[in-house]
Every structure is written in C-alpha cells, then in structure tokens.
C-alpha cells in the first residue's frame, strides 16, 4: 500500500552527518565524526583542503582562522604546522551549551587518519573544496582511496565544481558523484541541466532553503538522488522527506534519526 511505501521511503533517507555531528562537537574532528556514527549518521561528511606540502586534510574553510587557533591560508602551512593547532577550543567558546573539556586541543585530521579511524567499509561523503586552488586534489584523493582500499560502493564524492567532478569521473568512472548546487533565488532545474548532470553524477545536493516539492519531484523522477543541505530542524526534515528527498545533510544526525523513526 502507499502507507507502506511511505514508511519504506522514510527508512532509506540517507542521514549525512555534516562535518560529523557538528552541532555537538567541533566540526571535522575525529570526535565529531565518531559522534555522528553513534547518532545514527549513515555517512561521514568530509570537506577537503590541501596543505602547502600537499597533504589532504579535513577542513571546511580555506583559512585556519575560524576552526583553529591558527591564522592564514591552509595552502600556506605545512601539515606539521597544522598538526600543532587546536581545532576544538573555538567550539567551546562559540557553543558554551555544548562545550566539553575533552574538545580542547583536538587536532585537524588528515584524510588518511580519517580512513584509518573508520576503515575501508565506512560510508564517506567527501567534498573537493576549492579545487581550483589545489591542482591535483582529485588525483590525490583517488590515490588515498586506492591506497587504503576504501570500498568504492560506499564512497560518495561531492563538489560545487562540475570541473572537479568531471575530472574525478575521468580518473575513475566507478566513483559515485554528487553535484552540489547553491541557489540564491527559488531553485529551478531545466531538462538540459538534469541531462548534463546525469552524464557524470548520481545525484545533486542543493541548499535546502530555495527548493520546493516540484523541484524535488523533478529530480527524483529523472532518476537522480537529492540530498539537500544543511537541515537542522525536525519540521524542515519532515517536510523535505514528505517532498521525496533521498538524503539530508544535518549537523544533528540524532534529530534526523528521530524524524525517520517517526518520533
Ligand atoms: O557538502 C554539502 C554542504 O556541506 C555544502 O556546503 O559549505 O557546508 O560545505 P558547505
Ligand atoms: Ca560540505
């Protein structure tokens, strides 16, 4: 029945722990990723930046300033320098209601450390950030995925840059890709855009606040996955699920888990 279909659909919604459980712990730390897993996140979301000496690290911004006690561009610092930084204390200051002493002094993880901590068979949802700033980022990512024997059936690579995704697709067509999109006005997707994205990606990730039911249904009817970002309130999660999204990026994976359970 349609009731059963609706419930089945509910269960399949991918719960993407955005920067880990970043509502509760400092984003892009192993602690935050572990918390995401414990809170029933299906995927660990990792944003990539590259150091001066070519190491891939998990960080959202191109600069160190917001999420560490360092300053300046990631690309102007070596991994050794970045490893000395405190990637947790800022969170305690910014979010005293979620502060914990154990967050002080947490390190910026490398992608390799993330792979070591969670293993080959974890679900990684990895974003190539500012790929134009970091030539060779896609090859480096692929090399590390291969080196660690990461299960590619469980890997998703995402980017706002279609060039970066096309590069990944050329390097290894077996890697599943998601095209991120950012709308500043009500979202529309033409048939031509859908067809062009379908050439290389299995889904899209639009910002959640400019899409509507019609948009979601068009995407789904065209056989693409749709994972809106970043949704932190239960009512909005429920609305998006009702519209037919197939996954959601959230800083609060526990809340999405509750919505999926009907709580
Ligand atoms: O990757 C989905 C979402 O995280 C995109 O925005 O800026 O949080 O990486 P951002
Ligand atoms: Ca991201």
């Amino acid at each position: 029945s349609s009731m059963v279909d609706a419930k089945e659909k509910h269960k399949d919604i991918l719960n993407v722990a955005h920067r880990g459980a970043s509502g509760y712990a400092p984003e892009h730390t192993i602690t935050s990723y572990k918390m995401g897993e414990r809170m029933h996140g299906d995927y660990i979301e990792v944003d990539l930046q590259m150091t001066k000496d070519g190491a891939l690290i998990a960080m959202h911004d191109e600069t160190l300033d917001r999420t560490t006690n360092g300053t300046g561009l990631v690309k102007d610092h070596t991994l050794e320098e970045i490893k000395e930084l405190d990637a947790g204390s800022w969170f305690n200051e910014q979010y005293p209601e979620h502060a914990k002493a154990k967050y002080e002094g947490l390190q910026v993880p490398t992608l390799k450390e993330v792979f070591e901590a969670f293993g080959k068979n974890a679900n990684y949802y990895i974003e190539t950030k500012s790929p134009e700033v970091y030539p060779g980022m896609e090859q480096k990512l692929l090399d590390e995925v291969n080196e660690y024997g990461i299960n590619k059936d469980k890997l998703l690579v995402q980017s706002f840059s279609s060039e970066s995704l096309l590069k990944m697709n050329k390097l290894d067509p077996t890697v599943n890709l998601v095209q991120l999109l950012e709308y500043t006005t009500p979202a529309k997707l033409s048939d031509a855009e859908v067809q062009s994205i379908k050439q290389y990606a299995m889904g899209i990730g639009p910002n959640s606040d400019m899409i509507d039911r019609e948009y979601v249904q068009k995407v789904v009817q065209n056989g693409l996955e749709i994972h809106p970002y970043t949704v932190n309130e239960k009512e909005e999660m429920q609305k998006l699920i009702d519209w037919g999204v197939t996954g959601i990026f959230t800083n609060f994976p526990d809340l999405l888990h509750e919505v999926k359970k009907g709580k």
Side-chain angles (χ1 to χ4, degrees):
S1 73
S2 61
M3 187 66 191
V4 172
D5 290 347
K7 277 203 178 132
E8 287 303 309
K9 213 161 78 177
H10 239 122
K11 265 197 316 202
D12 293 340
I13 310 295
L14 293 185
N15 186 338
V16 185
H18 184 245
R19 316 181 191 179
S22 60
Y24 299 108
E27 67 182 59
H28 293 311
T29 58
I30 298 288
T31 302
S32 171
Y33 296 156
K34 283 196 173 145
M35 208 180 278
E37 277 201 328
R38 279 205 304 280
M39 292 181 168
H40 307 280
D42 299 310
Y43 274 83
I44 301 168
E45 200 239 357
V46 182
D47 293 319
L48 291 183
Q49 302 283 340
M50 201 191 273
T51 66
K52 188 177 179 179
D53 47 341
L56 293 178
I57 59 167
M59 189 173 286
H60 178 273
D61 299 0
E62 268 176 62
T63 55
L64 300 163
D65 302 55
R66 182 177 60 88
T67 58
T68 75
N69 59 344
T71 55
L73 293 164
V74 172
K75 73 175 175 68
D76 291 339
H77 291 79
T78 63
L79 179 59
E80 198 184 346
E81 287 166 340
I82 290 172
K83 274 291 171 188
E84 280 166 17
L85 301 176
D86 174 347
S89 293
W90 72 273
F91 180 89
N92 288 348
E93 286 156 34
Q94 189 97 10
Y95 303 102
E97 69 279 23
H98 295 302
K100 289 187 180 153
K102 68 171 186 183
Y103 295 159
E104 286 167 27
L106 288 179
Q107 286 189 357
V108 175
T110 61
L111 181 63
K112 290 182 183 188
E113 287 167 342
V114 176
F115 287 163
E116 269 157 21
F118 296 93
K120 297 176 188 185
N121 284 306
N123 294 322
Y124 301 104
Y125 204 141
I126 302 177
E127 180 177 352
T128 55
K129 277 268 178 227
S130 314
E132 65 289 347
V133 176
Y134 306 114
M137 177 180 247
E138 295 81 9
Q139 182 67 60
K140 185 103 191 171
L141 168 57
L142 194 58
D143 288 347
E144 296 189 1
V145 163
N146 288 328
E147 184 188 338
Y148 281 82
I150 300 302
N151 184 346
K152 285 182 194 160
D153 295 337
K154 296 183 162 192
L155 171 68
L156 288 172
V157 173
Q158 47 164 339
S159 191
F160 285 103
S161 163
S162 52
E163 288 79 16
S164 182
L165 294 179
L166 287 164
K167 214 173 272 178
M168 274 304 298
N169 184 241
K170 208 164 182 188
L171 291 170
D172 185 343
T174 71
V175 174
N176 290 307
L177 305 175
V178 173
Q179 176 68 61
L180 297 175
L181 299 165
E182 188 166 23
Y183 295 100
T184 52
T185 55
K188 296 259 178 305
L189 206 55
S190 69
D191 292 330
E193 284 171 298
V194 169
Q195 288 318 313
S196 130
I197 291 169
K198 277 187 84 165
Q199 309 263 313
Y200 58 90
M202 46 80 79
I204 62 164
N207 50 312
S208 65
D209 55 332
M210 287 292 167
I211 61 176
D212 58 15
R213 184 189 294 272
E214 195 188 336
Y215 179 97
V216 172
Q217 288 177 355
K218 176 162 191 172
V219 173
V220 172
Q221 277 158 15
N222 277 283
L224 284 168
E225 303 290 320
I226 175 166
H227 304 157
Y229 65 88
T230 303
V231 187
N232 294 327
E233 283 172 12
K234 289 172 85 173
E235 293 91 81
E236 202 193 346
M237 292 170 181
Q238 186 60 61
K239 180 189 76 179
L240 291 165
I241 292 170
D242 293 342
W243 288 354
V245 303
T246 57
I248 293 177
F249 290 88
T250 180
N251 299 343
F252 298 92
D254 57 337
L255 297 185
L256 179 52
H257 184 67
E258 285 176 13
V259 170
K260 285 170 66 176
K261 292 252 157 193
K263 283 191 212 149

